[in-house]
Amino acid sequence: MFSFKCSVSDGRSLPFLQYLVSLAVVKSIKLMDPQYAPVDIKIKWPNDIYGGDGLKIGGVLCQSSYFNSQFDVIIGVGLNVNNAEPTTCVEALVQSVCPGARVTREAVLASFLEQFEIMFSAFVADGFLPFVREYLLHWMHSGQQVTLATPNGTRREVSVQGLSDNGFLLATDRAGETYELHPDGNSFDIAALTIRPKQR
């Protein structure tokens, strides 16, 4: 749908930038109109946007390069605004709470840019910490029971707890052992509720 560039100087914040953008997408839809607040739209870790019926409607990609002591990040946001077939779209989700409502790409983009500008300023100043509670409120996974497939072929049942201080997905098994899963090294199969290493 659109792409843009931003710059950050603290490399430790990079893993959180895709979370910030995903949250801004969700907020931009819900805040376009006060009546849209109940729209059921969620974040799937690490960077996908889903309707409450479990259908993907978008995603976020971030690609960074380092130059002159800062990270330049190209951010791409893909979002299905109006095409309700074969799955669903933003407009269909909005119409489920506001029958007859019309949603345009221009309105979504304007709302996103308004939200992201405010959020990014706070992110640069204070990091992602001020957004963690709101992010977890809008994601699909708190307390979710999933299977963790390890590189050596073993499988463990774990419970998703949240995000670690490093921006990784935090999970624990029944024995209390903690796992931190890097978003670039793992994929989350939401249909099978399985997290597995990405194929290289």
Side-chain angles (χ1 to χ4, degrees):
M1 182 180 168
F2 61 90
S3 62
F4 62 100
K5 185 176 86 168
C6 63
S7 298
V8 295
S9 57
D10 185 357
R12 294 170 299 180
S13 68
L14 283 177
F16 295 97
L17 189 54
Q18 62 185 332
Y19 304 152
L20 187 80
V21 177
S22 299
L23 179 59
V25 170
V26 171
K27 291 181 65 173
S28 68
I29 295 166
K30 289 177 169 286
L31 295 176
M32 277 194 298
D33 187 294
Q35 297 181 78
Y36 297 176
V39 171
D40 196 1
I41 180 171
K42 298 286 187 184
I43 300 164
K44 172 188 164 286
W45 181 84
N47 52 16
D48 288 327
I49 310 297
Y50 272 62
D53 50 7
L55 298 174
K56 182 177 176 179
I57 60 169
V60 174
L61 289 176
C62 298
Q63 185 172 11
S64 65
S65 59
Y66 187 72
F67 184 70
N68 284 344
S69 301
Q70 70 176 10
F71 293 90
D72 293 325
V73 186
I74 303 297
I75 300 170
V77 177
L79 193 63
N80 182 359
V81 176
N82 301 112
N83 186 9
E85 299 295 338
T87 56
T88 191
C89 63
V90 172
E91 187 171 71
L93 294 171
V94 167
Q95 289 175 349
S96 70
V97 297
C98 296
R102 306 297 297 176
V103 179
T104 66
R105 287 177 290 179
E106 293 80 6
V108 173
L109 178 58
S111 183
F112 171 83
L113 293 175
E114 180 182 4
Q115 294 303 317
F116 184 76
E117 182 178 8
I118 297 168
M119 294 168 66
F120 185 68
S121 295
F123 177 73
V124 170
D126 302 313
F128 192 69
L129 186 60
F131 300 99
V132 170
R133 186 171 178 274
E134 190 174 22
Y135 179 86
L136 297 180
L137 182 67
H138 290 296
W139 82 337
M140 304 171 67
H141 307 299
S142 292
Q144 196 171 51
Q145 303 296 313
V146 301
T147 299
L148 174 60
T150 62
N152 63 11
T154 63
R155 299 169 72 86
R156 295 181 184 272
E157 300 303 314
V158 298
S159 175
V160 177
Q161 303 300 317
L163 296 176
S164 73
D165 292 340
N166 296 317
F168 302 164
L169 184 134
L170 189 64
T172 58
D173 63 18
R174 293 175 183 173
E177 186 172 351
T178 300
Y179 301 84
E180 291 190 28
L181 306 172
H182 195 288
D184 291 336
N186 295 279
S187 63
F188 198 147
D189 183 340
I190 197 66
L193 289 178
T194 300
I195 300 172
R196 57 175 58 91
K198 289 181 180 177
Q199 298 296 319
R200 299 294 183 181

